[in-house]
Amino acid sequence: MNEISIFGAICDDKYLILCPARDYKRLEAGDAGPNTGGMGAYSPAPILPDDQLNAMADIVTRPILAEMARRGTPFTGILYAGLMMTADGPKVLEYNTRFGDPECQPLLMRLKSDLVDIMQACIAGELDKVELDIDERSTLGVVLTAKGYPGSYPKGMPISGIEKANELDGVYVFQAGTKAQDGQILANGGRVLCATALGKDLKEAQAHAYEGMACLSMEDSQIRTDIGLKGLKRLGLA
C-alpha cells in the first residue's frame, strides 16, 4: 500500500488540481518505527501519474464538493485528500482544509504560478481565470527532526549549513521548527527542517535533496535515508 495526497484550490464548483505528493509517515527507513507527521515527500508520484489526477478527483474530491454545495455550505480554499492506494483501489484516509506538511514543500517547488494569485482567485470566485503552471520536473523533500521525535525531544540545538544548502542548484531548505536567537538559527520543534530539491527525474531530485541535507548540521538530529526509494523502484531506477 502507498499513501498519496491530492491538493486542490476550490471555490464553490470550481476546482483547480495543484499536484499530488507521496508522503512518508513512519520514522525509520523501510517504513519502520512510530508514525509521525511526515518524514519526507516527493512529487509527482508514479503511483498516481499526473494524467490520472482528474479521474481520481472525480472519485474522491468532486463528489464531496457537490454534496457541500447541495447542503448550502459550498467550500472555498485548499482541500487535500489523503489516500491509501490499495489492491482494492483508492481508500480515503482523511480530508483536510490546508496544505499538508511535508507534502507542501515539494508541491511549492513545482508550482510556477504565484500561490497568492491562486488564493486571491479563490476568494474572488475567479479560479476559472487562473492558468496553472506546474513544473514538469520532479521534486523531493527530506525532513530533519530532533532525535526522540515523535516522542519527547530536545530543543535549542544550533543549526548550520542552511545558506550553503540553499546555494546548491535546485535546492531549498524550508524551516519549520526553528527560531532565530542572537543571530543563530536554533531547533525549536520536532520536525525542524525540510531539504527540498528539483531534478529532471525522481532520482536526480532525490540526489539533490540528500546533497542539500548533507550540508546541514544539527546535534541530536535524525532523518530517513530512503525517501523516494519506492518510487524509484516503481520506475525501475533503483
Side-chain angles (χ1 to χ4, degrees), residues 3-10 15-23 42-43 45 47-50 52-62 78-85 90-92 94-100 103-104 107:
E3 186 174 348
I4 192 165
S5 301
I6 301 177
F7 295 84
I10 296 157
Y15 179 47
L16 188 67
I17 301 175
L18 299 178
C19 49
R22 162 77 163 91
D23 188 13
Y42 61 86
S43 176
I47 193 73
L48 182 61
D50 283 359
Q52 296 180 18
L53 283 177
N54 266 305
M56 187 61 68
D58 287 342
I59 297 172
V60 303
T61 305
R62 290 191 176 96
I78 294 294
L79 181 73
Y80 94 68
L83 311 177
M84 189 66 76
M85 306 297 285
K91 307 294 183 182
V92 177
E94 61 177 338
Y95 292 102
N96 264 303
T97 55
R98 58 174 175 80
F99 284 112
E103 303 102 315
C104 183
L107 184 156

Side-chain angles (χ1 to χ4, degrees), residues 5 12 14 21 26 32 34 59 62 66 75 94-95 98 107 118 143 157 200 202-203 208-209 213:
S5 301
D12 299 338
K14 302 179 182 69
R26 294 289 180 176
I59 297 172
R62 290 191 176 96
F75 177 74
E94 61 177 338
Y95 292 102
R98 58 174 175 80
L107 184 156
I118 295 172
V143 173
M157 298 83 75
K200 64 182 180 182
L202 181 57
K203 188 170 186 177
H208 288 174
M213 183 60 70

Side-chain angles (χ1 to χ4, degrees), residues 160-183:
S160 62
I162 294 177
E163 291 184 0
K164 181 180 179 181
N166 286 342
E167 290 174 355
L168 297 175
D169 185 33
V171 175
Y172 187 79
V173 178
F174 290 86
Q175 298 187 43
T178 64
K179 67 177 181 179
Q181 181 175 305
D182 299 327

Side-chain angles (χ1 to χ4, degrees), residues 63-217:
I64 296 295
L65 303 180
E67 177 62 16
M68 292 181 71
R70 187 191 70 80
R71 295 185 181 192
T73 55
F75 177 74
T76 295
I78 294 294
L79 181 73
Y80 94 68
L83 311 177
M84 189 66 76
M85 306 297 285
T86 77
D88 298 323
K91 307 294 183 182
V92 177
L93 295 175
E94 61 177 338
Y95 292 102
N96 264 303
T97 55
R98 58 174 175 80
F99 284 112
D101 177 20
E103 303 102 315
C104 183
Q105 288 89 313
L107 184 156
L108 290 177
M109 293 287 279
R110 290 189 71 200
L111 184 64
K112 298 170 74 174
S113 302
D114 192 313
L115 181 60
V116 173
D117 289 344
I118 295 172
M119 297 295 94
Q120 289 180 333
C122 277
I123 295 168
E126 297 177 345
L127 267 180
D128 53 333
K129 297 181 181 179
V130 173
E131 294 186 9
L132 190 63
D133 190 5
I134 300 291
D135 199 313
E136 294 184 357
R137 291 176 292 175
S138 293
T139 56
L140 183 141
V142 182
V143 173
L144 180 144
T145 78
K147 196 168 185 179
Y149 172 85
S152 59
Y153 51 82
K155 295 183 180 180
M157 298 83 75
I159 302 167
S160 62
I162 294 177
E163 291 184 0
K164 181 180 179 181
N166 286 342
E167 290 174 355
L168 297 175
D169 185 33
V171 175
Y172 187 79
V173 178
F174 290 86
Q175 298 187 43
T178 64
K179 67 177 181 179
Q181 181 175 305
D182 299 327
Q184 175 73 59
I185 301 297
L186 306 177
N188 195 43
R191 286 187 293 162
V192 182
L193 304 169
C194 184
T196 311
L198 283 159
K200 64 182 180 182
D201 54 25
L202 181 57
K203 188 170 186 177
E204 185 174 273
Q206 182 197 55
H208 288 174
Y210 278 105
E211 183 182 3
M213 183 60 70
C215 295
L216 304 174
S217 178

